[in-house]
Amino acid sequence: MSKYVIRRLLIMVPVLMGISLVLFTILALAPGDPFEELATNPNVPPEVRANLRAKFGLDDPIAVRYLRWVTAMVKGDWGFSFVSRVNVDELILQRLPVSLFVLGSAQVLGILVALPIGTMSALRPYSWFDQISTTLAFVGFSLPTFFTGLVFILVFSIWLDWLPFIYRADISTSGWRWYWDHLRQALMPIAVLGLFQGATLTRFMRSAVLDVIRLDYVNTARAKGLSEKTTIMKHVVRNALIPVVTLLSLQVPAVFGGAIITEQIFRVPGIGSLLISSILANDTPVVMAITFVLTALVLISSLAADIVYAVLDPRISYN
Amino acid sequence: MDEKYLRGLINEVKAGRLSRRSFVQAMVAVGLTAPLATQMLTSAGVAHAQTSRLAYKPTKRGGGGALKTLWWQGATLLNPHFAVGTKDQDGSRIFYEPLASWDPDGNLAAVLAAEIPSVQNGGVSKDGKSVTWKLKKGVSWHDGKPFTADDCIFTAEFAADPATASVSIATYKDIKVDKIDSHTIKVNFSKPTPFWADPFVGVRGMIIPKHQFEAFKGAKSREAPANLKPVGTGPYEFVDFKPGDIVRGKLFANYHMPNRPHFDTIEMKGGGDAVSAARAVIQTGEFDYAWNMQVEDDILRRMEQGGRGKASIVAGGNIEHIQVNFTDPAKEVDGERSSVKTTHPLLTDPAVRQALNLLVDRASVQEQIYGRTGIATANFLNQPERFQSKATKFEFNVEKASQILEAAGWKKGADGIRAKDGKKLKMVYSTSINAPRQKTQAIVKQAAAKAGVEMELKSVTASVYFSSDVANPDTYTHFYTDIQMYTTTMTQPDPELFMNQFTSWEVASKENKWQGRNITRWRNAEYDKLYRAAETELDPVKRAAMFIKMNEMVIQNVVVIPVVFRPRVAAVSNRMHVEQSGWDSDFWNLPNWYREG
C-alpha cells in the first residue's frame, strides 16, 4: 500500500509540471495584458505601459517566464499579482475562509438532503415518494446554478425582501447579531449550491442502495431475524456509501475552487470570484497559482479516493 | 440667451477679469455667435472655484451611520499613482485628496488648495510657464502629521521617477515643483501651458504623504505598506482592504472641512455585474450608491418605478462615434494594411462620406437604444459646454444621401448597389461585441441599403478589439475595415488631449505599434497648424474658439460621424444627496455626501 502511494505521488510531479506548462502557455498566448485598461486611457502615454510590462517581465519569451515562475514556485514564492501588486498567497488566503465556509456548508447541506432521500427512494422504488424525489432531483441538476441563483434573488430579495443578495465578508455587527447576519446573507448561495449538489448525490445514493439491497447478504441478514432498521443501516447503507464517499472526495477541489458563477452572482468574495476577475484582468500570477492549486488538489483527492476505497472495501488491494 | 449673455458679459467686465475692449476684439477676431460667447465668458478658461451645488445640511460631524457603495469592479489597489482603472482611482479617492477637483461644469473646486490660482490673483503667470498654488493650512494626515508643501513636491518626484512605474508619470515628468514656503508651491512648465491644471488636480493629482512613502520611492515602490493601508487627508481613514472585494473606512475626526463627513463608516464593495448593482440600490435599497451603470435605460426605468433609488446622470465628454478610414484596408504596403501610403478607394470621395453622415439615424439610436444614457449629437467635442459648437447639426435623410451619391456619379446597378468606375459601394462596418452597438449597426445598415450602399457588419470581442496587441489585426487601432464604431473617452475637461486624435503626427501605424491616437489616418495641414497654435494659446476665449473650429473641421469633412455622447450614470438611493462630475472621480465631492432622515 505505501509503495503504491509513493508511486502515485511520484507520478504527480511530471503531471503537475505538464499541466502547469500547458496552463502557462495558454495564458501567455491569450491576447492582452494586465495593463490593457491603460492603453485606452489617453492620459497614460504608451511608454508607461511598455515600462510596466518590462518591469514585470512580460516582454520576455514564454520559456524564460515559465522557468522563472517554476523556480520561484519551487522555492515557495508564489509571486505577486500584477493588478493589485499584492503577494498571491496573501490574496488567496484572504479569500479562502469565505469559500470554505460557503462551499463547505453547501456540501454538508447536499449530503444531509441526499443521503436520507436517496436511501428512502431506493427502499421503495417507484413509490410516490420515489417518483417525486426523482422528478425534483432531475429538475435540481438540470437547472444551472446561475438560473436558480437569479430566481432566488428575484423571489427572496426583490419580491419578498427577506434576504440580502450581496455577500459581505466584513460584517460590522457583533455577538449573536453577527451570526444572524452571516447566516442570512449566506443562506441563498448555500441553498443554491447545496441543492444542486444534493440533487446529483440523491441519484447516486439511490442507485448505490438499489445495487446493494439485492445482494445475498442482505437477504441473509433479514433471514437471521435482524430488524429492518438494523439491516438497512448496518448492511445496506454502509456498503452503499462506498461509491458515494469516493464521489465526495473527488468533489473536494470543487469546494476549494469555489463555485465561480454562484460567487459572481451573490458577490461572494471567494476563490472563484478571485479566479474569474484575475482571468478577466489577465493577471497571470494569480490565475496560475489558483489553477495550479486546483490541479494539485484534483490529483491528491483522486489518490485519496483510491485509498479510501481500499480502506472501506477490504476486497480491493493495490499490492 | 441674449439676456444671459449680456449679464455674463457685464459680470466679467465688472469683475475686471476681462476688459470690454479686449473681449470684443477677441469676439470679432474669431467671429463667434453670442450664445457661444456666454459659455466661454462664464467659464473663461479654468478660473474661479465655485462652491458645491450640493447644499450640505448636517450640522455636525458624523452621526450619519454607514455609507454603503457598490462598484461592480472592486478596487484592486489603493495607491492613486498605480491606479489601473477608475475603480482604483475611486478607491484611493476615499482616503487621498488632490489640491483641486473638477466640478460637473469642468471648473476647478479647491480641496487641499487654499484658493484656485488664476491670472487675476497672480497664481497663474502671464507667460503661462508657471502656476503657484497656496495650500490650505491646518490640514493633517490620518496619522496626525501636518500636510505641507513637502508632500506635494514628494508626490511629483514619486510619480515622475521612471523606476516607480507610476501611471501618472506623464503628468509629472516634465514639470519642476519649487517650494516657496511651507504652504506654497510653484509648478514650473517647460513651455507655455494653457492647461496648467493637470498636476495635483483630479484623479492624477492625489497627494501622498512623504513620511509614509519616502523610503519606497523608485524600484521599491511595491513594498510600501501604505499601498495597502493608505494614510491620506480625506474624510475617511482606512480600516480594511481586500483587493477586488471591499474597501472600508471610518470617519476621520480631524478632517479639514467643518462638520464633515456625515457618515460614520464607508464601504466600497466590489464584484458582480452592473444590472444587479442597480437592483441593490434602486430596487432593494441594500446599498446607497452604485457606480457606472452600464445598463440599458429601459431596465433602469423599470427599476425606478416605485423603487428606492434613481439613476443619476451627469454629462461627460465620452462619445460613441463612427470613424471613416481614409486609407485602404485591403492593400498591404510594407507589412501593414490601412497604411498612410494608400488612399481609400471609396471613402476619400467627399460625396460618399457626406452620404454616410446622412444615413446614420442618430435620433432613433438615442430613442430606441440608449435613452438617457446616450444623447444624439452632431459634434465630436460636446463637453464642457464652452467648447461645444453651435454651428453643426445632424440630419437623417436617405433621399438626400441618394441624391448626393447620384450626383457624384455613383449609379445603382442591377443588384441595387451603387458603383462608379467598376468600384462597388460595399464596406465593412466593425465594432466590439456589445448589444447596443450591434443594434446601432443594424439601424445604419438598413438605412444604407435603402440608399444603395451595402454594409457588411463585423463584431469583435471587446477584449480583442480594445487590446493593444500588435499582432492582432482586429484591434480598433489597426482599423483594417472601412468604418468602425466605438466610444472615445475624454478624461479631463480640457480638450487638448482629446483633440490630438486628428493630428497627423498621431497616425496609428506599424512604426508606432499602432499606438498613435489618430485612428482614421485623416491628415490636414490646417488642422495641425490650428492644434499647434492652441497648445500654446493663453487666451482662454481664443483657445476655446480654436477647439470649436477643430471640431467643425472634423465634422464638416466627415472624418468621424458622432452618434451619441455618453453621460456618466450612477444609481443613487432616493435619500442620498450626492454630486457627480463627468470630469473627476465619483468620490470627488465625497465629504459633502449626506443622507436624509
Side-chain angles (χ1 to χ4, degrees):
Chain A
M1 185 74 182
S2 57
K3 244 185 179 170
Y4 170 78
V5 173
I6 290 170
R7 201 176 67 229
R8 284 283 299 262
L9 283 173
L10 284 180
I11 293 174
M12 255 181 224
V13 176
V15 171
L16 275 178
M17 290 294 283
I19 291 175
S20 72
L21 181 64
V22 171
L23 279 173
F24 200 93
T25 318
I26 291 174
L27 286 175
L29 291 177
D33 68 35
F35 316 110
E36 210 53 74
E37 219 175 326
L38 296 179
T40 46
N41 183 345
N43 288 100
V44 180
E47 302 85 64
V48 172
R49 236 184 100 237
N51 188 13
L52 276 168
R53 282 187 64 99
K55 189 174 166 169
F56 290 160
L58 285 170
D59 290 331
D60 301 336
I62 297 179
V64 174
R65 284 161 57 194
Y66 178 68
L67 280 179
R68 198 187 303 139
W69 181 81
V70 169
T71 43
M73 198 72 177
V74 169
K75 282 186 243 158
D77 175 9
W78 295 46
F80 62 89
S81 155
F82 293 154
V83 172
S84 63
R85 307 190 186 190
V86 175
N87 289 333
V88 173
D89 42 355
E90 214 173 295
L91 276 178
I92 293 180
L93 285 178
Q94 265 178 1
R95 302 295 191 103
L96 195 55
V98 178
S99 265
L100 288 182
F101 167 62
V102 172
L103 285 123
S105 319
Q107 196 76 272
V108 170
L109 176 71
I111 294 169
L112 288 181
V113 169
L115 296 196
I117 293 182
T119 316
M120 291 275 280
S121 26
L123 290 178
R124 286 178 186 71
Y126 309 110
S127 64
W128 61 266
F129 181 83
D130 184 32
Q131 305 278 12
I132 292 175
S133 72
T134 303
T135 313
L136 286 181
F138 271 110
V139 171
F141 66 75
S142 316
L143 290 180
T145 48
F146 69 82
F147 180 76
T148 37
L150 291 178
V151 170
F152 271 47
I153 289 179
L154 195 67
V155 173
F156 294 108
S157 297
I158 292 168
W159 289 350
L160 298 173
D161 210 356
W162 287 351
L163 299 169
F165 68 93
I166 291 172
Y167 191 101
R168 292 156 63 223
D170 308 71
I171 283 183
S172 47
T173 48
S174 56
W176 287 109
R177 176 94 205 155
W178 186 86
Y179 287 102
W180 171 238
D181 283 345
H182 253 287
L183 187 71
R184 242 163 58 92
Q185 66 175 1
L187 220 49
M188 283 201 290
I190 291 177
V192 164
L193 283 167
L195 295 180
F196 182 73
Q197 302 257 9
T200 331
L201 270 182
T202 308
R203 297 298 299 164
F204 267 102
M205 192 62 199
R206 181 179 179 274
S207 70
V209 172
L210 275 179
D211 280 345
V212 172
I213 208 161
R214 278 192 295 256
L215 296 178
D216 290 342
Y217 67 84
V218 178
N219 286 336
T220 314
R222 284 198 179 118
K224 73 177 179 186
L226 287 182
S227 73
E228 185 66 14
K229 194 180 155 199
T230 322
T231 315
I232 301 295
M233 293 311 289
K234 281 213 161 149
H235 296 277
V236 176
V237 173
R238 204 168 153 187
N239 283 300
L241 273 178
I242 297 175
V244 177
V245 167
T246 322
L247 186 79
L248 281 177
S249 67
L250 287 175
Q251 276 180 349
V252 170
V255 174
F256 178 86
I260 294 177
I261 295 167
T262 317
E263 287 191 359
Q264 195 70 9
I265 292 175
F266 294 101
R267 292 179 165 80
V268 178
I271 302 280
S273 70
L274 178 65
L275 179 63
I276 192 110
S277 60
S278 306
I279 292 174
L280 291 176
N282 289 305
D283 197 353
T284 327
V286 182
V287 180
M288 274 310 286
I290 297 177
T291 45
F292 189 75
V293 170
L294 279 181
T295 22
L297 274 176
V298 170
L299 293 176
I300 291 170
S301 58
S302 75
L303 173 61
D306 286 345
I307 295 171
V308 168
Y309 216 75
V311 171
L312 285 176
D313 190 342
R315 288 169 299 177
I316 296 168
S317 152
Y318 294 116
N319 291 319
Chain B
M1 268 322 234
D2 264 343
E3 189 197 334
K4 200 176 157 199
Y5 158 57
L6 281 170
R7 210 166 12 205
L9 182 69
I10 291 162
N11 282 345
E12 290 294 320
V13 178
K14 257 188 198 162
R17 285 198 284 268
L18 207 64
S19 82
R20 190 183 302 252
R21 193 184 159 86
S22 67
F23 176 63
V24 172
Q25 274 173 348
M27 297 293 288
V28 173
V30 295
L32 292 177
T33 56
L36 187 56
T38 319
Q39 276 135 13
M40 294 188 309
L41 266 178
T42 47
S43 48
V46 281
H48 289 274
Q50 291 187 343
T51 46
S52 163
R53 274 176 294 185
L54 199 62
Y56 186 75
K57 288 207 190 112
T59 50
K60 67 173 175 65
R61 178 168 289 167
L67 169 61
K68 290 159 80 181
T69 66
L70 199 50
W71 258 240
W72 49 269
Q73 286 181 327
T76 50
L77 46 82
L78 293 180
N79 184 329
H81 297 282
F82 296 149
V84 176
T86 47
K87 58 187 195 303
D88 306 322
Q89 293 166 348
D90 296 333
S92 310
R93 189 67 178 75
I94 299 175
F95 310 107
Y96 293 111
E97 293 179 316
L99 292 184
S101 290
W102 294 110
D103 78 1
D105 299 326
N107 294 321
L108 284 172
V111 182
L112 289 176
E115 61 177 16
I116 297 298
S118 66
V119 179
Q120 289 69 38
N121 67 19
V124 179
S125 73
K126 290 235 159 49
D127 62 359
K129 287 175 90 169
S130 73
V131 53
T132 307
W133 289 90
K134 287 199 175 72
L135 310 184
K136 200 167 175 176
K137 286 185 179 147
V139 176
S140 92
W141 296 99
H142 293 156
D143 58 6
K145 298 249 171 33
F147 160 76
T148 66
D150 292 325
D151 295 308
C152 300
I153 293 166
F154 173 76
T155 299
E157 282 170 8
F158 179 88
D161 186 345
T164 306
S166 80
V167 297
S168 47
I169 183 169
T171 303
Y172 296 97
K173 71 177 192 302
D174 296 326
I175 62 165
K176 202 171 128 315
V177 188
D178 293 334
K179 181 177 174 178
I180 307 289
D181 61 43
S182 72
H183 284 85
T184 315
I185 56 163
K186 188 175 172 195
V187 180
N188 298 294
F189 302 99
S190 51
K191 60 178 182 5
T193 306
F195 183 60
W196 46 265
D198 190 28
F200 305 116
V201 173
V203 291
R204 283 175 307 282
M206 284 180 243
I207 291 157
I208 55 173
K210 184 179 181 183
H211 60 277
Q212 289 281 347
F213 284 94
E214 202 170 13
F216 302 98
K217 211 171 72 136
K220 276 196 295 178
S221 59
R222 190 181 80 83
E223 292 153 31
N227 283 342
L228 298 172
K229 294 185 171 60
V231 175
T233 56
Y236 297 94
E237 56 182 307
F238 176 78
V239 173
D240 185 26
F241 172 48
K242 291 204 175 83
D245 175 30
I246 204 163
V247 181
R248 288 196 303 144
K250 64 170 198 278
L251 175 142
F252 174 42
N254 289 322
Y255 186 58
H256 58 81
M257 281 167 81
N259 300 334
R260 287 168 182 84
H262 170 64
F263 299 96
D264 301 311
T265 59
I266 183 169
E267 169 184 317
M268 177 180 164
K269 165 82 184 169
D273 61 288
V275 178
S276 72
R279 253 183 229 299
V281 173
I282 300 177
Q283 264 184 327
T284 68
E286 244 178 87
F287 278 74
D288 300 307
Y289 183 90
W291 155 89
N292 195 5
M293 290 293 96
Q294 290 184 6
V295 178
E296 283 183 48
D297 197 32
D298 260 3
I299 300 176
L300 283 176
R301 277 188 195 281
R302 243 177 291 150
M303 286 185 197
E304 278 174 331
Q305 280 164 12
R308 293 167 180 161
K310 57 188 180 297
S312 152
I313 297 170
V314 63
N318 298 354
I319 173 110
E320 176 86 4
H321 66 295
I322 298 173
Q323 297 179 334
V324 174
N325 198 342
F326 280 76
T327 58
D328 191 347
K331 211 181 278 170
E332 190 169 313
V333 180
D334 301 335
E336 69 173 314
R337 283 150 65 191
S338 294
S339 153
V340 282
K341 288 174 190 143
T342 60
T343 54
H344 197 283
L346 314 172
L347 290 166
T348 35
D349 181 349
V352 174
R353 299 203 305 271
Q354 267 160 28
L356 278 183
N357 197 16
L358 290 165
L359 292 173
V360 178
D361 189 357
R362 295 166 233 221
S364 297
V365 170
Q366 176 185 347
E367 198 178 307
Q368 288 171 22
I369 303 172
Y370 289 98
R372 293 170 295 172
T373 64
I375 316 298
T377 179
N379 288 317
F380 185 69
L381 177 57
N382 288 285
Q383 295 286 335
E385 249 185 294
R386 58 179 174 271
F387 296 113
Q388 196 182 84
S389 168
K390 305 290 177 197
T392 51
K393 55 178 182 292
F394 66 84
E395 189 185 356
F396 170 62
N397 194 333
V398 178
E399 199 80 341
K400 203 164 149 190
S402 306
Q403 280 166 14
I404 291 175
L405 289 171
E406 200 71 42
W410 297 92
K411 303 285 181 210
K412 257 189 188 172
D415 53 358
I417 301 166
R418 289 179 190 277
K420 182 182 168 183
D421 308 332
K423 288 181 288 188
K424 282 200 166 175
L425 260 186
K426 271 182 169 175
M427 42 191 97
V428 179
Y429 175 11
S430 60
T431 188
S432 74
I433 294 182
N434 169 299
R437 293 207 170 114
Q438 267 72 68
K439 289 184 195 163
T440 311
Q441 272 183 319
I443 289 180
V444 175
K445 181 184 168 143
Q446 216 175 13
K450 281 187 203 151
V453 180
E454 189 178 88
M455 283 193 185
E456 185 192 323
L457 302 184
K458 180 175 172 181
S459 327
V460 185
T461 320
S463 63
V464 170
Y465 188 68
F466 293 113
S467 83
S468 43
D469 189 347
V470 176
N472 198 319
D474 284 333
T475 72
Y476 75 107
T477 52
H478 278 75
F479 199 3
Y480 283 180
T481 56
D482 304 301
I483 56 176
Q484 68 173 353
M485 176 172 70
Y486 65 93
T487 289
T488 282
T489 55
M490 182 171 173
T491 51
Q492 54 195 25
D494 184 85
E496 188 175 311
L497 194 62
F498 188 64
M499 293 307 278
N500 82 349
Q501 44 196 313
F502 300 106
T503 57
S504 60
W505 56 87
E506 277 290 339
V507 166
S509 65
K510 190 184 168 193
E511 199 190 336
N512 57 30
K513 295 184 181 158
W514 292 279
Q515 283 174 335
R517 301 234 306 137
N518 183 348
I519 315 284
T520 62
R521 281 87 157 152
W522 177 70
R523 280 139 295 146
N524 183 307
E526 197 193 336
Y527 186 96
D528 286 353
K529 219 173 96 194
L530 199 58
Y531 184 86
R532 284 291 189 217
E535 274 185 316
T536 50
E537 177 57 63
L538 294 171
D539 181 336
V541 179
K542 276 191 195 155
R543 189 158 176 273
M546 285 171 171
F547 285 116
I548 289 166
K549 177 88 182 54
M550 282 182 235
N551 171 69
E552 283 166 5
M553 285 177 75
V554 170
I555 297 304
Q556 276 148 18
N557 284 303
V558 201
V559 182
V560 292
I561 304 166
V563 184
V564 289
F565 74 91
R566 312 286 315 269
R568 241 196 237 189
V569 185
V572 187
S573 149
N574 283 335
R575 287 157 65 210
M576 286 287 296
H577 292 262
V578 307
E579 188 183 21
Q580 276 183 286
S581 165
W583 311 109
D584 210 323
S585 161
D586 275 33
F587 282 141
W588 78 278
N589 204 3
L590 181 62
N592 285 320
W593 286 23
Y594 70 98
R595 182 163 46 210
E596 221 151 6

